[in-house]
Structures are given as C-alpha cells and as structure tokens.
Amino acid sequence: MSDLPGIVVTGVSGRMGRMLAQIVAESGKARLVAGVERPGHAWIGQDIGVAMGGAPLGALVTDDPVEAFARAQGVIDFTAPAATVEFAGLAAQARAVHVIGTTGLEEADLEKIGAAARHAVIVRAGNMSLGVNLLTRLTRKIAEALDEDWDIEVVEAHHRMKVDAPSGTALMLGEAAAAGRGVSLKDARVSGRDGITGVRERGTIGFSAIRGGDIVGEHDVIFAADGERVILRHVATDRAVFARGALRAALWGQGRKPGQYDMIDVLGL
Ligand SMILES: NC(=O)C1=CN([C@@H]2O[C@H](COP(=O)(O)OP(=O)(O)OC[C@H]3O[C@@H](n4cnc5c(N)ncnc54)[C@H](O)[C@@H]3O)[C@@H](O)[C@H]2O)C=CC1
Ligand SMILES: O=C(O)C1=N[C@H](C(=O)O)C[C@H](O)C1
C-alpha cells in the first residue's frame, strides 16, 4: 500500500462527490479509499468508478462512515448539513482531516462542528476555489475604502437543484464586506426583497439569489453610489475548481494542530 494520504469522499454520487472522486483518484497525491452514501442508495457495494459509468477506481461505495473513516487520513464532505454534523464527530474520532464544503449550515450546526474541531483538523469554506477566496480579500479591501454612501449588494446565480440561499459563497462575500466596514453581517443583512419594501436602508448589505438551469456558480459584489458603481465578479464554469481546492485542503491539513481553518489559511492569502 502507498504512503499517500487516504481520502474518503462522502456524498460520492452527488454533483460534487463524483467530481471529487475523479480528482482524488487521478491526483497522484492521495489515495481514494472509499465513497460514502446514504443507506439504501443504489451505489452501495459498487466500485465508485463503475457506479459512475467508467473504469474501476479501486474503491467501494459504503454506507458505513465509521469503518471508512478509520481507513482514511482525510474526509472530503460536500453533502447536507445534518450529514456534515454527524461526519464531523466521526472524522474527529478517527483523527482524519475533515474538509467541509457543505453550505446552508445553521448556528447550531456550526457549534457542533466547532466542538469536533477541538480534537481534529477541520477546514471549512463555502467556496473552495482560489478565485472566490481572492475575491473575499478584494471585497474586504474595497469595503474598507468606501463609506456608507456606497450601497453593497451581493447577487448570486446557481443551478436549479441548489437547495440553500443565499449561497455559502454569497455569505462569505457578505462577511468580508461587513468586516471591511466594521459592522456585523447579522445586523446589516437584508435578503429576498419582495413587495413594498420601503427605500433602501443606509448601511445594509443586500442579497439576491437567481436559480436556473445548470449554472455552476456566479457571484457579483456591487458597490453602488450616486453616479458610479464598482462590480466585483466571479464566474465558476467547472466544479473541478472546488474539488481541486478541497483536495488541496485535505493535504494541507495533514499533521496540523486540531482546530478550524478556512481556505484563506490553506491558500495563504
Ligand atoms: N464549498 C464549495 O466550494 C462548494 C460547496 N458546495 C456545496 O456542497 C453541497 C453538495 O452539493 P452538490 O454536490 O451539488 O449536491 P448533491 O445533492 O448533488 O449531492 C449531495 C450528496 O450527498 C449525499 N448525502 C446526503 N446525506 C447523506 C448522508 N447522511 N450520508 C451520505 N451521503 C449523504 C446525497 O445522497 C448526495 O449524493 C451543497 O451544500 C453545496 O452548496 C457545492 C459546490 C462547491
Ligand atoms: O451548490 C452549489 O452548486 C455551490 N455551492 C456553493 C455555495 O453555496 O456558494 C459554492 C458554489 O457556488 C457552488
């Protein structure tokens, strides 16, 4: 068996799970150990590659995360909030680096993930791409430079199957803008305007979500003042950018001190 870190991909039949399995298997930097899916899923017991309709990848799909995590040094998890909270506890028990891409996590979920991070390395980000993480830096810098005469709006667009809004990325960008402005996003956030909303409240940060077709992920941060606008934009056209970032995070986390990290730490931005 090689010395390369073993990686389990949870939610392996999903849009991100398939991409991750392929990228880990082809990376030459890690071993694909197993894929995890929900009990009763049609892929359980099959080789991941065969289940995807291609060549065997030499790793099976299982519904037993405890057994799979025990054979791994990293768990890459793009699933759903309830699953991610459970996997955080199990990955910590196995002392595997847990890379969390799942979005839509609530405050209570984050507390449980925080508890797991006392025992193991967790890297969590609403977007694992280099471009978006760079954009959070730029957003913060611009928000620092501009006063409240500049209204801040975050607009995001995703495929029709996305279940949470605003996107995790939109919230990251909103947090960056709020930090730049020295306010809390909890206080400044306005989402989903509809009906007679009244005029825009000065200093708020607005969020709008578009859902349609197969859009991979697009985000604009708009700074709008009287007479001029600054628009920062990121467009993802291939989920591979998220998967590559997640694998990089799983490798970066090996041998680190337990705790919670994000992609800014991983990328050194
Ligand atoms: N941070 C980032 O860079 C990115 C984050 N995401 C997020 O990743 C998550 C997944 O996105 P998609 O792959 O598009 O969704 P998807 O719905 O295609 O895949 C989710 C998979 O998780 C599996 N799953 C759910 N509960 C499970 C459980 N208890 N045990 C095992 N498997 C379970 C489902 O069966 C499914 O295969 C979403 O929250 C999305 O917002 C997506 C892309 C990039
Ligand atoms: O669900 C998706 O697809 C994506 N989710 C992430 C988010 O919520 O921001 C990242 C990316 O935009 C794709």
Side-chain angles (χ1 to χ4, degrees), residues 59-71:
L60 300 181
V61 183
T62 175
D63 59 4
D64 185 349
V66 174
E67 185 281 327
F69 293 3
R71 291 186 282 126

PDB file of all heavy atoms in Angstrom, residues 59-71:
ATOM      1  N   ALA A  59     -11.998   1.563  -5.331  1.00  0.00           N
ATOM      2  CA  ALA A  59     -12.538   1.932  -4.013  1.00  0.00           C
ATOM      3  C   ALA A  59     -14.053   1.780  -4.074  1.00  0.00           C
ATOM      4  O   ALA A  59     -14.676   2.122  -5.084  1.00  0.00           O
ATOM      5  CB  ALA A  59     -12.164   3.371  -3.667  1.00  0.00           C
ATOM      6  N   LEU A  60     -14.617   1.273  -2.974  1.00  0.00           N
ATOM      7  CA  LEU A  60     -16.041   0.941  -2.979  1.00  0.00           C
ATOM      8  C   LEU A  60     -16.895   2.024  -2.333  1.00  0.00           C
ATOM      9  O   LEU A  60     -16.407   2.817  -1.522  1.00  0.00           O
ATOM     10  CB  LEU A  60     -16.277  -0.372  -2.217  1.00  0.00           C
ATOM     11  CG  LEU A  60     -15.576  -1.622  -2.755  1.00  0.00           C
ATOM     12  CD1 LEU A  60     -15.937  -2.842  -1.902  1.00  0.00           C
ATOM     13  CD2 LEU A  60     -15.943  -1.868  -4.225  1.00  0.00           C
ATOM     14  N   VAL A  61     -18.168   2.013  -2.680  1.00  0.00           N
ATOM     15  CA  VAL A  61     -19.151   2.886  -2.019  1.00  0.00           C
ATOM     16  C   VAL A  61     -19.710   2.112  -0.823  1.00  0.00           C
ATOM     17  O   VAL A  61     -20.089   0.948  -0.946  1.00  0.00           O
ATOM     18  CB  VAL A  61     -20.305   3.258  -2.968  1.00  0.00           C
ATOM     19  CG1 VAL A  61     -21.266   4.228  -2.279  1.00  0.00           C
ATOM     20  CG2 VAL A  61     -19.779   3.831  -4.283  1.00  0.00           C
ATOM     21  N   THR A  62     -19.756   2.785   0.332  1.00  0.00           N
ATOM     22  CA  THR A  62     -20.238   2.143   1.556  1.00  0.00           C
ATOM     23  C   THR A  62     -21.246   3.058   2.249  1.00  0.00           C
ATOM     24  O   THR A  62     -21.242   4.278   2.029  1.00  0.00           O
ATOM     25  CB  THR A  62     -19.057   1.844   2.509  1.00  0.00           C
ATOM     26  OG1 THR A  62     -19.566   1.337   3.730  1.00  0.00           O
ATOM     27  CG2 THR A  62     -18.241   3.085   2.807  1.00  0.00           C
ATOM     28  N   ASP A  63     -22.073   2.444   3.110  1.00  0.00           N
ATOM     29  CA  ASP A  63     -22.956   3.260   3.958  1.00  0.00           C
ATOM     30  C   ASP A  63     -22.461   3.239   5.400  1.00  0.00           C
ATOM     31  O   ASP A  63     -23.201   3.591   6.316  1.00  0.00           O
ATOM     32  CB  ASP A  63     -24.414   2.776   3.870  1.00  0.00           C
ATOM     33  CG  ASP A  63     -24.563   1.317   4.295  1.00  0.00           C
ATOM     34  OD1 ASP A  63     -23.571   0.708   4.732  1.00  0.00           O
ATOM     35  OD2 ASP A  63     -25.686   0.800   4.183  1.00  0.00           O
ATOM     36  N   ASP A  64     -21.182   2.829   5.609  1.00  0.00           N
ATOM     37  CA  ASP A  64     -20.616   2.741   6.952  1.00  0.00           C
ATOM     38  C   ASP A  64     -19.466   3.750   7.105  1.00  0.00           C
ATOM     39  O   ASP A  64     -18.289   3.414   6.911  1.00  0.00           O
ATOM     40  CB  ASP A  64     -20.106   1.301   7.181  1.00  0.00           C
ATOM     41  CG  ASP A  64     -19.603   1.093   8.605  1.00  0.00           C
ATOM     42  OD1 ASP A  64     -19.459   2.094   9.345  1.00  0.00           O
ATOM     43  OD2 ASP A  64     -19.342  -0.062   8.968  1.00  0.00           O
ATOM     44  N   PRO A  65     -19.793   5.004   7.460  1.00  0.00           N
ATOM     45  CA  PRO A  65     -18.728   6.009   7.551  1.00  0.00           C
ATOM     46  C   PRO A  65     -17.695   5.693   8.628  1.00  0.00           C
ATOM     47  O   PRO A  65     -16.511   6.026   8.452  1.00  0.00           O
ATOM     48  CB  PRO A  65     -19.485   7.309   7.883  1.00  0.00           C
ATOM     49  CG  PRO A  65     -20.826   6.906   8.391  1.00  0.00           C
ATOM     50  CD  PRO A  65     -21.124   5.568   7.786  1.00  0.00           C
ATOM     51  N   VAL A  66     -18.103   5.029   9.722  1.00  0.00           N
ATOM     52  CA  VAL A  66     -17.144   4.759  10.807  1.00  0.00           C
ATOM     53  C   VAL A  66     -16.008   3.874  10.291  1.00  0.00           C
ATOM     54  O   VAL A  66     -14.817   4.182  10.476  1.00  0.00           O
ATOM     55  CB  VAL A  66     -17.852   4.077  12.009  1.00  0.00           C
ATOM     56  CG1 VAL A  66     -16.843   3.669  13.079  1.00  0.00           C
ATOM     57  CG2 VAL A  66     -18.904   5.013  12.597  1.00  0.00           C
ATOM     58  N   GLU A  67     -16.379   2.795   9.601  1.00  0.00           N
ATOM     59  CA  GLU A  67     -15.367   1.872   9.074  1.00  0.00           C
ATOM     60  C   GLU A  67     -14.516   2.563   8.009  1.00  0.00           C
ATOM     61  O   GLU A  67     -13.289   2.416   7.979  1.00  0.00           O
ATOM     62  CB  GLU A  67     -16.087   0.627   8.515  1.00  0.00           C
ATOM     63  CG  GLU A  67     -15.171  -0.490   8.040  1.00  0.00           C
ATOM     64  CD  GLU A  67     -14.577  -0.249   6.661  1.00  0.00           C
ATOM     65  OE1 GLU A  67     -15.247   0.366   5.798  1.00  0.00           O
ATOM     66  OE2 GLU A  67     -13.416  -0.674   6.450  1.00  0.00           O
ATOM     67  N   ALA A  68     -15.161   3.349   7.138  1.00  0.00           N
ATOM     68  CA  ALA A  68     -14.414   4.011   6.053  1.00  0.00           C
ATOM     69  C   ALA A  68     -13.454   5.061   6.611  1.00  0.00           C
ATOM     70  O   ALA A  68     -12.277   5.120   6.211  1.00  0.00           O
ATOM     71  CB  ALA A  68     -15.405   4.662   5.075  1.00  0.00           C
ATOM     72  N   PHE A  69     -13.921   5.876   7.568  1.00  0.00           N
ATOM     73  CA  PHE A  69     -13.067   6.946   8.102  1.00  0.00           C
ATOM     74  C   PHE A  69     -11.857   6.356   8.835  1.00  0.00           C
ATOM     75  O   PHE A  69     -10.785   6.956   8.878  1.00  0.00           O
ATOM     76  CB  PHE A  69     -13.843   7.863   9.057  1.00  0.00           C
ATOM     77  CG  PHE A  69     -14.938   8.703   8.418  1.00  0.00           C
ATOM     78  CD1 PHE A  69     -15.248   8.598   7.071  1.00  0.00           C
ATOM     79  CD2 PHE A  69     -15.660   9.622   9.178  1.00  0.00           C
ATOM     80  CE1 PHE A  69     -16.262   9.353   6.494  1.00  0.00           C
ATOM     81  CE2 PHE A  69     -16.669  10.399   8.609  1.00  0.00           C
ATOM     82  CZ  PHE A  69     -16.972  10.258   7.271  1.00  0.00           C
ATOM     83  N   ALA A  70     -12.043   5.159   9.453  1.00  0.00           N
ATOM     84  CA  ALA A  70     -10.937   4.526  10.192  1.00  0.00           C
ATOM     85  C   ALA A  70      -9.779   4.184   9.251  1.00  0.00           C
ATOM     86  O   ALA A  70      -8.635   4.051   9.694  1.00  0.00           O
ATOM     87  CB  ALA A  70     -11.434   3.270  10.897  1.00  0.00           C
ATOM     88  N   ARG A  71     -10.065   4.058   7.947  1.00  0.00           N
ATOM     89  CA  ARG A  71      -9.007   3.715   6.974  1.00  0.00           C
ATOM     90  C   ARG A  71      -8.448   4.956   6.272  1.00  0.00           C
ATOM     91  O   ARG A  71      -7.692   4.842   5.307  1.00  0.00           O
ATOM     92  CB  ARG A  71      -9.581   2.774   5.909  1.00  0.00           C
ATOM     93  CG  ARG A  71      -9.922   1.401   6.436  1.00  0.00           C
ATOM     94  CD  ARG A  71     -10.345   0.476   5.318  1.00  0.00           C
ATOM     95  NE  ARG A  71     -11.706   0.689   4.866  1.00  0.00           N
ATOM     96  CZ  ARG A  71     -12.075   0.911   3.614  1.00  0.00           C
ATOM     97  NH1 ARG A  71     -11.175   0.980   2.660  1.00  0.00           N
ATOM     98  NH2 ARG A  71     -13.343   1.056   3.303  1.00  0.00           N
TER      99      ARG A  71
END
